[in-house]
């Protein structure tokens, strides 16, 4: 006997409720007293081919006659209504096979279905499915399978339905496209405007989209079961869904009662990685033969992420793929493109594991099937702020860029990372190092790369990534690659162990007598100022001086964001000049970003904002050739900034000071901003300086917490250095105590 569908209490009638529904095709009893309820959210119905799933969809939509029973939508009876009337009530239907018009373009499909009112419009569709926006002028027959499915879903959404019924939405799609469809459907349910009934044969998809899952066998809802239980129990899949045998052979003999001990308890949900076995690796027909167990085993995949959707009738929870379980112990991430570097990455992983260090194998592939990683490429892709569509675009460059952003976001949400190691070529290096740069300074980071013998600035950035040349291409294991990869793996194991030991031994607070770190920015033309400030604060603070060469400022801000630097005296903000005027030592657009995000007390100034750095004279851009220059050395030529450029810089800096929520003291030396900007020096220009100072003063919203301090001193005067130190100590009064016991 079929077990009854559990009812979930709600504040109103179920979105969809089937009671005792029977459908016949001639003498064939297709649906046999089907009972099913969807209170809200997502519900998956699984079963092998010919079990009645599509017939149930057609019955709901009025496309097949119902012999008996009731189908209610938000309390309204649907039996006896025409399909068009049912659709107008608010039910969208995405049939199996998509059924698009071959001659109509994507945009024509959407405009045809648009109703002119409601939340769903063609413009919103293009935001949700950016790939469709790119293909808006292509006909239905010119789209890939994934694009056709996106269009079929979009066509239904334009009806602004309260209920979306989808029959085999992932059939025939590539794994990355499947993940994107899963993500989109679950997010739609999370927004609360639409509930979704999904018909699936793929157990992996069904169990990841909803919990619980309804199982259909021989025209009946046989049982509703927890998704994790179904996903983890191979024997249960065989008996219920016919994995390796036909479903009718044992479907009625599932509940075992030996008479002595009573019914056996349900299988407990797994707590770690689970294997997903697909009932029908190939699209089945009613004449399908038994699938060999070896084939099913070979095509199974490992899943470590949590279920994406919610229990029927309960609120859709955290959809982030990062909300899953994190290993209880610190671990090393082993990352790379498993579709091409699988043997090499597993070799690295095995060495680290043999050293007693926990690992997580993370797949960064942009194409192909699941590679059996602890964290699949699909899971990483779902972390992308822009969604996973770019990874599924089919263009390698676009896919690599999208996976780079996805991995960066994924790493940023991980915990207990004791190290990260990767191996790859140019694409793999770009993806992996982007994620490494997110981790705090001090966490071991090792990149074994074919690119490590060249200019690695773009890969290392402002953090402490160790680049190791692979010597040969990372393609196959041989005598040389085993030696190189093995050395890297053993180095990572040693670094990770030391990191974990130090972290475990370190007290939560700084040891008594140890001074907190303060970051200062310096250029040659502001050196006297920084040296004086350093002497004034070093009794209670340990100074870290950063050369303001672009990477210097980024390094300081990386340490701020890592929590290693607790104070900042940003004397020399000259990198902004090169950013805005095209110099060779630029900041990034995120200059000051770490201070903004951490709300760290900020003391800053306008050091060396009178100059832009270029190379040798012959490298200076032609449109600057008429300007005032100073040869700093044969390789570096300095260009004096103009009043207009200074006004623009003052506005740019002022806007970022306004975004700082922590205490701010920004000091302006009205006597000159660098050693070259003084009476008798080549860059002395009071009018240009005044344009800078006035623009900052006019832009910054002054409050008790955010102040501009104008002083009649040159930046390198002792009085200005003393003022910087005084304001710094005042902002940090009581926050730290140094070795002397003073603040």
């Amino acid at each position: 006997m079929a077990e009854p569908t559990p009812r979930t209490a709600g504040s109103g009638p179920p979105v969809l409720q089937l009671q005792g529904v029977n459908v016949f095709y001639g003498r064939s009893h297709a649906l046999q007293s089907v009972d099913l309820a969807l209170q809200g959210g997502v519900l998956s119905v699984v079963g092998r081919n010919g079990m009645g799933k599509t017939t149930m969809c057609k019955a709901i939509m009025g496309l097949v006659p119902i012999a008996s029973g009731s189908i209610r939508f938000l309390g309204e009876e649907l039996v006896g209504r025409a399909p068009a009337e049912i659709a107008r009530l608010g039910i969208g239907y995405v049939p199996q096979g998509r059924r698009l018009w071959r001659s109509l373009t994507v945009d024509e499909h959407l405009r045809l279905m648009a109703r002119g009112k409601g939340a769903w419009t063609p413009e919103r569709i293009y935001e949700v499915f950016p790939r469709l926006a790119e293909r808006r002028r292509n006909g239905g027959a010119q789209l890939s399978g994934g694009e056709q499915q996106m269009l079929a879903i979009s066509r239904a959404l334009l009806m602004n339905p309260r209920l979306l019924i989808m029959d085999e939405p992932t059939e025939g799609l590539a794994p990355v496209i499947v993940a994107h469809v899963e993500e989109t459907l679950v997010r739609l349910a999370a927004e609360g405007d639409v509930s979704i009934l999904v018909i699936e044969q793929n157990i992996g998809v069904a169990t990841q989209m909803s919990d619980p899952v309804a199982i259909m066998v021989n025209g009946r809802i046989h049982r509703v079961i927890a998704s994790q239980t179904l996903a983890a129990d191979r024997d249960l899949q065989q008996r219920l869904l016919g994995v390796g045998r036909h479903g009718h052979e044992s479907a009625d003999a599932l509940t075992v009662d030996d008479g002595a001990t009573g019914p056996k308890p349900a299988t407990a949900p797994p707590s770690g990685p689970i294997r997903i076995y697909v009932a029908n690796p190939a699209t089945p027909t009613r004449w399908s033969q038994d699938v060999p167990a070896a084939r099913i085993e070979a095509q199974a995949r490992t899943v470590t992420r949590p279920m994406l959707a919610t229990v029927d009738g309960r609120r859709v929870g955290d959809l982030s793929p990062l909300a899953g379980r994190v290993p209880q112990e610190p671990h090393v991430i082993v990352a790379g493109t498993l579709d091409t570097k699988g043997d090499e990455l597993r070799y690295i992983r095995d060495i680290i594991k043999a050293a007693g260090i926990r690992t997580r194998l993370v797949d960064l592939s942009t194409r192909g099937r699941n590679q059996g990683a602890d964290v699949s490429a699909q899971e990483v892709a779902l972390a992308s702020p822009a969604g996973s569509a770019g990874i599924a675009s089919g263009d390698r460059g676009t896919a690599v860029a999208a996976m780079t952003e996805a991995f960066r976001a994924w790493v940023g949400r991980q915990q207990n990372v004791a190290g990260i190691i990767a191996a790859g070529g140019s694409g793999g290096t770009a993806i992996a190092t982007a994620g490494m740069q997110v981790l705090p300074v001090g966490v071991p980071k090792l990149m074994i790369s074919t690119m490590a013998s060249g200019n690695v600035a773009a890969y290392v950035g402002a953090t402490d990534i160790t680049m190791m040349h692979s010597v040969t291409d990372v393609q196959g294991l041989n005598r040389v690659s085993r030696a190189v990869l093995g050395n890297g793996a053993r180095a990572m194991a040693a670094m990770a162990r030391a990191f974990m030991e130090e972290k475990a031994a370190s007290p939560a607070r700084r040891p008594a007598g140890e001074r907190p770190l303060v970051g200062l920015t310096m250029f040659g033309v502001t050196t006297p100022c920084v040296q004086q400030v350093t002497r004034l604060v070093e009794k209670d603070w340990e100074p870290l001086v950063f050369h303001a060469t672009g990477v210097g400022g980024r390094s300081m801000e990386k340490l701020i964001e890592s929590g290693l630097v607790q104070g900042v005296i940003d004397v020399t903000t000259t990198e902004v000049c090169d950013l805005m005027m095209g110099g060779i030592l630029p900041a990034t657009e995120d200059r000051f970003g770490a201070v903004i995000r951490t709300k760290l007390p900020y003391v800053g100034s306008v050091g060396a904002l009178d100059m832009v750095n270029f190379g040798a004279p012959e490298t200076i851009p032609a449109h600057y050739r008429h300007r005032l220059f100073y040869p700093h050395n044969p390789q570096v030529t300095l260009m004096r900034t103009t009043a207009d450029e200074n006004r623009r810089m003052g506005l740019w800096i002022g806007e970022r000071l306004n975004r700082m929520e922590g205490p701010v003291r920004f000091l302006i030396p009205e006597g000159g901003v660098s050693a070259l900007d003084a009476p008798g020096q080549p860059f002395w220009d009071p009018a240009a300086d005044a344009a800078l100072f006035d623009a900052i003063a006019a832009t910054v919203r002054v409050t008790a917490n955010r102040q501009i301090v104008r002083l009649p001193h040159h930046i390198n005067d002792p009085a200005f250095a003393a003022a910087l130190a005084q304001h710094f100590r005042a902002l940090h009064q009581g926050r730290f105590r140094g070795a002397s016991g003073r603040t």
Side-chain angles (χ1 to χ4, degrees):
M1 293 294 293
E3 298 178 9
T5 301
R7 307 295 184 205
T8 305
S11 58
V15 175
L16 178 68
Q17 187 167 28
L18 284 73
Q19 292 180 312
V21 175
N22 289 276
V23 172
F24 290 82
Y25 292 121
R27 294 184 179 180
S28 177
H29 199 172
L31 295 185
Q32 304 177 25
S33 298
V34 170
D35 290 332
L36 186 68
L38 170 60
Q39 193 74 31
V42 182
L43 177 64
S44 297
V45 179
V46 299
R48 64 175 297 153
N49 198 49
M51 294 296 105
K53 304 185 304 296
T54 297
T55 297
M56 182 175 67
C57 294
K58 291 181 177 180
I60 296 170
M61 296 303 302
L63 296 171
V64 295
I66 295 173
S68 63
S70 170
I71 303 176
R72 291 183 176 273
F73 169 62
L74 296 174
E76 290 196 42
E77 182 62 56
L78 300 183
V79 175
R81 295 177 185 256
E85 184 181 359
I86 293 173
R88 282 193 290 268
L89 288 175
I91 301 180
Y93 182 37
V94 181
Q96 186 177 13
R98 297 141 198 166
R99 300 185 186 178
L100 303 177
W101 290 288
R102 296 172 58 86
S103 61
L104 295 185
T105 66
V106 168
D107 197 63
E108 287 169 341
H109 273 89
L110 300 183
R111 301 296 170 187
L112 181 64
M113 299 303 297
R115 291 295 176 264
K117 60 181 180 179
W120 286 98
T121 63
E123 289 71 28
R124 185 180 177 189
I125 291 294
Y126 288 138
E127 291 177 3
V128 174
F129 296 108
R131 182 61 176 166
L132 292 184
E134 299 171 7
R135 307 275 281 170
R136 64 194 305 162
R137 300 189 186 282
N138 290 74
Q142 298 173 313
L143 304 178
S144 67
E147 293 164 348
Q148 289 180 1
Q149 190 62 66
M150 294 175 193
L151 182 54
I153 296 171
S154 301
R155 184 174 59 183
L157 288 175
L158 285 171
M159 298 291 292
N160 288 285
R162 294 289 304 278
L163 171 64
L164 187 61
I165 299 174
M166 306 197 63
D167 193 359
E168 303 283 2
T170 65
E171 180 183 21
L173 303 185
V176 172
I177 302 293
V178 170
H180 180 58
V181 172
E182 290 177 17
E183 172 197 16
T184 302
L185 294 180
V186 175
R187 291 190 184 279
L188 290 177
E191 293 170 0
D193 295 332
V194 61
S195 298
I196 304 175
L197 179 67
V198 179
I199 308 301
E200 262 296 345
Q201 288 193 33
N202 188 319
I203 299 174
V205 172
T207 54
Q208 291 181 73
M209 288 186 65
S210 79
D211 183 15
V213 171
I215 299 174
M216 190 167 232
V217 177
N218 293 334
R220 296 173 291 170
I221 298 297
H222 190 278
R223 62 167 58 184
V224 176
I225 188 171
S227 297
Q228 286 186 317
T229 302
L230 176 62
D233 195 325
R234 171 72 184 282
D235 185 60
L236 192 61
Q237 293 178 28
Q238 287 180 331
R239 289 178 290 166
L240 278 176
L241 299 169
V243 180
R245 67 182 72 173
H246 288 291
H248 65 270
E249 293 177 7
S250 56
D252 292 330
L254 289 172
T255 304
V256 179
D257 189 341
D258 58 15
T261 60
K264 293 183 179 180
T267 305
S271 59
I274 57 177
R275 291 280 283 172
I276 301 297
Y277 296 90
V278 180
N280 298 288
T283 303
T285 68
R286 67 178 63 202
W287 301 281
S288 294
Q289 301 297 311
D290 290 349
V291 180
R295 182 181 177 195
I296 295 170
E297 183 67 41
Q299 296 190 2
R301 59 193 177 105
T302 300
V303 174
T304 57
R305 65 174 172 149
M307 301 306 115
L308 289 178
T310 61
V311 175
D312 177 22
R314 296 199 289 274
R315 179 178 177 81
V316 175
D318 185 359
L319 303 180
S320 166
L322 294 316
R325 302 177 184 89
V326 178
Q328 295 298 311
E329 300 295 330
H331 60 283
V332 169
I333 293 173
V334 181
T337 53
L338 288 179
D339 59 341
T340 58
K341 309 290 188 288
D343 291 343
E344 297 85 348
L345 292 165
R346 291 184 176 91
Y347 180 72
I348 292 171
R349 177 201 60 188
D350 292 345
I351 291 175
I352 296 173
K353 289 179 68 175
I357 308 295
R358 292 175 180 265
T359 63
R360 292 177 81 192
L361 184 61
V362 180
D363 187 11
L364 304 179
S365 305
T366 57
R367 56 189 171 88
R369 53 180 291 182
N370 190 287
Q371 304 296 324
D374 297 322
V375 180
S376 68
Q378 291 88 342
E379 179 177 341
V380 176
L382 292 177
S384 173
S388 58
I391 298 169
S393 66
D395 178 75
R396 185 178 186 276
T398 301
V400 169
M403 181 59 84
T404 300
E405 292 305 310
F407 188 52
R408 193 197 312 273
W410 184 89
V411 171
R413 302 176 192 175
Q414 301 310 298
Q415 301 175 20
N416 297 331
V417 177
I420 180 170
I421 183 171
S426 59
T429 302
I431 298 171
T433 54
M436 293 180 182
Q437 291 180 23
V438 174
L439 291 171
V441 171
V443 176
K445 311 169 187 71
L446 177 58
M447 182 72 229
I448 304 173
S449 171
T450 59
M451 309 298 291
S453 64
N455 184 350
V456 297
Y459 303 125
V460 174
T463 193
D464 55 339
I465 297 174
T466 301
M467 299 290 294
M468 183 175 181
H469 188 216
S470 62
V471 183
T472 63
D473 199 354
V474 185
Q475 185 61 53
L477 292 173
N478 52 59
R479 192 181 312 169
V480 174
S481 65
R482 282 192 181 91
V484 175
L485 297 175
N487 287 340
R490 295 180 187 94
M492 174 51 63
M495 288 190 290
R497 178 173 287 106
F499 175 81
M500 291 186 290
E501 290 173 353
E502 181 178 351
K503 189 174 182 180
S506 298
R509 290 179 294 183
R510 194 177 62 257
E514 183 179 279
R515 295 170 295 167
L517 297 174
V518 55
L520 303 96
T521 49
M522 185 179 80
F523 224 31
V525 292
T526 61
T527 297
C529 176
V530 175
Q531 288 177 334
Q532 293 173 77
V533 173
T534 298
R535 286 193 291 269
L536 291 171
V537 301
E538 64 184 353
K539 185 174 183 179
D540 301 308
W541 292 77
E542 183 177 352
L544 297 179
V545 178
F546 297 88
H547 197 190
T549 56
V551 72
R554 294 199 300 276
S555 297
M556 182 183 74
E557 296 206 42
K558 179 66 178 178
L559 289 173
I560 290 172
E561 203 140 39
S562 298
L564 297 176
V565 167
Q566 295 87 25
V568 59
I569 306 177
D570 197 4
V571 176
T572 312
T573 47
T574 184
E575 296 160 327
V576 175
C577 292
D578 287 39
L579 169 66
M580 299 186 69
M581 266 60 78
I584 62 173
L585 305 176
T588 68
E589 288 288 340
D590 194 44
R591 185 66 164 92
F592 310 108
V595 178
I596 293 169
R597 289 185 289 273
T598 61
K599 303 179 184 179
L600 189 72
Y602 178 79
V603 175
S605 190
V606 290
L609 283 178
D610 58 332
M611 58 187 64
V612 182
N613 294 269
F614 292 109
E618 61 271 16
T619 68
I620 297 171
H623 62 279
Y624 285 140
R625 293 290 172 83
H626 65 285
R627 298 283 293 275
L628 174 61
F629 296 99
Y630 179 81
H632 183 67
N633 60 48
Q635 286 74 44
V636 177
T637 305
L638 307 177
M639 180 182 76
R640 192 16 164 137
T641 54
T642 65
D644 181 65
E645 291 167 344
N646 282 358
R647 272 189 291 271
R648 290 194 286 120
M649 285 192 293
L651 175 64
W652 195 91
I653 292 172
E655 290 173 344
R656 280 146 183 82
L657 295 178
N658 285 336
R659 291 164 55 190
M660 294 181 184
E661 297 181 21
V664 174
R665 299 295 183 269
F666 199 79
L667 279 64
I668 294 177
E670 294 181 329
V673 301
S674 79
L676 296 180
D677 181 29
Q681 296 301 314
F683 282 0
W684 174 240
D685 188 342
D689 289 347
L692 171 67
F693 305 154
D694 292 345
I696 293 173
T699 303
V700 173
R701 295 189 296 272
V702 175
T703 66
N705 208 39
R706 183 189 304 114
Q707 298 181 17
I708 302 297
V709 182
R710 301 181 71 150
L711 298 170
H713 309 304
H714 187 272
I715 195 167
N716 289 327
D717 287 350
F720 189 75
L724 286 168
Q726 177 185 353
H727 283 283
F728 176 76
R729 283 195 294 264
L731 291 187
H732 290 275
Q733 186 75 29
R735 291 189 72 227
F736 301 103
R737 290 192 174 274
S740 66
R742 298 170 51 199
T743 54

